[in-house]
Amino acid sequence: MHFKIHHRFTRPIACILMALLAACAAAAPRNARPAKEDRQEDLTVRVLLVDDQPTASLTSTVDLHIQDGGPARRLPPGTWILTIQDATPPAQRFHLFAKTFPLAERAAAQAYVREWQEKGMTPEIVSFGKRLQAGDKRFLDNRVLWISLIQCKTLSDAEQQRKDLEKQSVWPWIQAETVEPGKGTLVIEDKSAQPALEMSLPAHIHSDTPLVIGGGDYGFWQERREDRTYNGPFQVSVGSHGRLTVIETADIETYLCGVLPAEMPPGWPIEALKAQAVAARSEVLAGMNGRYALEGFDYWATERSRAYLGAGGRHPATDTAVQATAGQVLTDGSRIVPAVFSATCGGWTEDNDTVWSGPPDAQLRAVSDVVVSGDNPAHKPQEQGLANWLLRPPKAHCSGDTTYFRWRKTLSQKELTASVNKRHRVGQVRDIRLGDRGPGGRLKWVRVIGSEDSVVIRKELPIRLAFNGLPSAMFIVDCGKGGDGQTRFTFIGGGRGHGVGLCQYGARGMAAQGASYNSILRHYFTAARIERVLIHGPDSNP
């Protein structure tokens, strides 16, 4: 029996060699340096800044150096417009992942593969994650095995296969893999009459000072184009639709200095900022060499991963929080906790497996954010009924978010139908039936009944997107007719974001009452502890 195992883009023989290297490292003297794959000096993060766009611009006050496969070329200071000619998109295939296993459960993963092989499929085991060294020389192992049941040549085929699997009560998620990079000619022009510079793609750009990238779309719910400043270096390549893609490589601590002010206001209490720094560092390192490594990067520069402002968005307060907690992460003793965070939990955080596909994580369990007192008990939302919980909310650490702690959003039948039918062809929406909920009150699924069809929508983000981008999946629905006789759907909800892990407004509320960042993190990640990992790299000072 053969099992095809990928480690990023390596082939099986590379996996064997890596295993041999790891075995040698284990037998080496205790003061020996770790194998290269585990050296934190080498840790960098690849951030997708420009995703498959027709054009982008670079503005620099110093010379730029750009290189394809040949000698480096120099671009003088100024603004340069980048476009692509004669592009061939990258060759891709699309995985339908159905289950994940910790590395220690390889035997269980192989047994799961055999089950599907007996059904005539050709599943693959794909390895993600990294092993990093803690301050006491232990290794924290975040490697996981994902089972790809089916691999398709096109996205449309993958979507059809997903529908077929869902009929068997299997709920897979789709992930693209680049198997061969795209090709094309990069055309670089300024506003003068000088001839354009042409180079082969992919190309690499280096600058001794930060430069401005113009034309990037940093929106998540809707388009938001901005000019932003980044340190680089950068890789320019061909995206999946044959257009420009720009990726920045940054060391971990510098990257975090661009993340923090995007994810938490710098004017918030310093202990909340420190808690955010530790949580963000933990989430970044726990997810290194994750699913997007199959496409050649680590994270998006938007809320699809986490917001990132680059060098131009840094702030002294958030820089201080990053530096004061340098190297600190949350662990369970054997791995770094994927310490996710969201804006406002609404009074109770959520279990990870309510929100996302994948097994329950003991470190990401729902916890109360209620400020407990005699007349303010910490009842779970469903213990007092969702309507009562939402309409008569308790006092919570995060209730300072006066916009989203409790919210309402009304959509006409026409607006709701247009939103749902962008993703699910059901015709005119006639009814919404709410399904099971997690302990934090967020819906696991909903059924939308339309004039042409009905559909079950599962998991938190797909539910929110279907209903025109709701703040959260903790809601009830009131359907009725307005004064004009038209049907309207009013969503009454609580919280903003997925609700798992650190509640950012809750951290703010706790810090304002004098809580330290350690106690804030212990509140939201009850079984975790703070440790230091060995991260070396460029100075993270501005």
Side-chain angles (χ1 to χ4, degrees), residues 530-542:
I530 295 178
E531 294 192 67
R532 191 181 299 275
V533 292
L534 303 179
I535 300 176
H536 304 291
D539 186 359
S540 60
N541 289 320

Side-chain angles (χ1 to χ4, degrees), residues 496-537:
R496 180 162 66 99
H498 52 69
V500 181
L502 177 73
C503 173
Q504 292 168 311
Y505 262 92
R508 176 200 188 201
M510 293 182 68
Q513 295 299 313
S516 68
Y517 77 97
N518 288 295
S519 60
I520 293 170
L521 292 169
R522 285 196 299 270
H523 174 76
Y524 292 106
F525 305 97
T526 57
R529 67 190 193 217
I530 295 178
E531 294 192 67
R532 191 181 299 275
V533 292
L534 303 179
I535 300 176
H536 304 291

Side-chain angles (χ1 to χ4, degrees), residues 384-394 406 408 476 492-493:
Q384 60 188 79
L386 250 295
N388 189 53
W389 167 260
L390 292 171
L391 295 171
R392 299 177 180 82
R406 291 294 181 269
R408 288 174 179 253
I476 56 176
I492 304 165

Side-chain angles (χ1 to χ4, degrees), residues 192-414:
S192 70
Q194 297 180 13
L197 176 66
E198 296 186 356
M199 305 191 77
S200 298
L201 288 173
H204 300 271
I205 299 174
H206 171 77
S207 172
D208 292 331
T209 62
L211 58 80
V212 177
I213 294 183
D217 179 8
Y218 299 102
F220 180 63
W221 299 102
Q222 59 187 6
E223 183 179 286
R224 187 177 76 246
R225 296 194 178 276
E226 299 177 8
D227 296 347
R228 292 188 179 179
T229 302
Y230 300 98
N231 288 316
F234 307 93
Q235 175 182 288
V236 183
S237 57
V238 182
S240 59
H241 297 290
R243 299 183 295 183
L244 273 171
T245 292
V246 180
I247 295 172
E248 179 193 28
T249 299
D251 72 89
I252 296 296
E253 298 295 287
T254 300
Y255 170 65
L256 289 172
C257 287
V259 166
L260 243 66
E263 288 288 357
M264 184 173 278
W268 282 14
I270 187 62
E271 294 303 306
L273 296 176
K274 289 179 183 179
Q276 177 67 76
V278 175
R281 185 181 295 106
S282 302
E283 189 201 17
V284 169
L285 293 177
M288 289 286 289
N289 188 40
R291 61 186 295 179
Y292 298 120
L294 294 177
E295 297 181 79
F297 64 98
D298 293 301
Y299 299 114
W300 297 74
T302 70
E303 288 89 342
R304 187 165 178 175
S305 295
R306 66 195 64 80
Y308 172 60
L309 297 177
R314 292 176 63 164
H315 189 279
T318 46
D319 277 4
T320 296
V322 172
Q323 293 157 7
T325 62
Q328 292 182 19
V329 294
L330 291 163
T331 83
D332 63 4
S334 62
R335 58 154 195 160
I336 299 172
V337 173
V340 293
F341 43 88
S342 64
T344 307
C345 71
W348 205 284
T349 70
E350 192 57 82
D351 284 352
N352 69 291
D353 47 310
T354 294
V355 171
W356 302 299
S357 299
D361 190 320
Q363 307 299 325
L364 301 177
R365 300 291 85 192
V367 300
S368 171
D369 201 48
V370 174
V371 180
V372 180
S373 63
D375 58 353
N376 197 53
H379 292 310
K380 291 183 179 180
Q382 295 186 78
E383 290 178 348
Q384 60 188 79
L386 250 295
N388 189 53
W389 167 260
L390 292 171
L391 295 171
R392 299 177 180 82
K395 181 181 178 182
H397 295 298
C398 62
S399 54
D401 182 358
T402 55
T403 302
Y404 290 107
F405 180 68
R406 291 294 181 269
W407 50 264
R408 288 174 179 253
K409 186 171 184 176
T410 299
L411 299 173
S412 68
Q413 188 174 37
K414 181 178 179 181

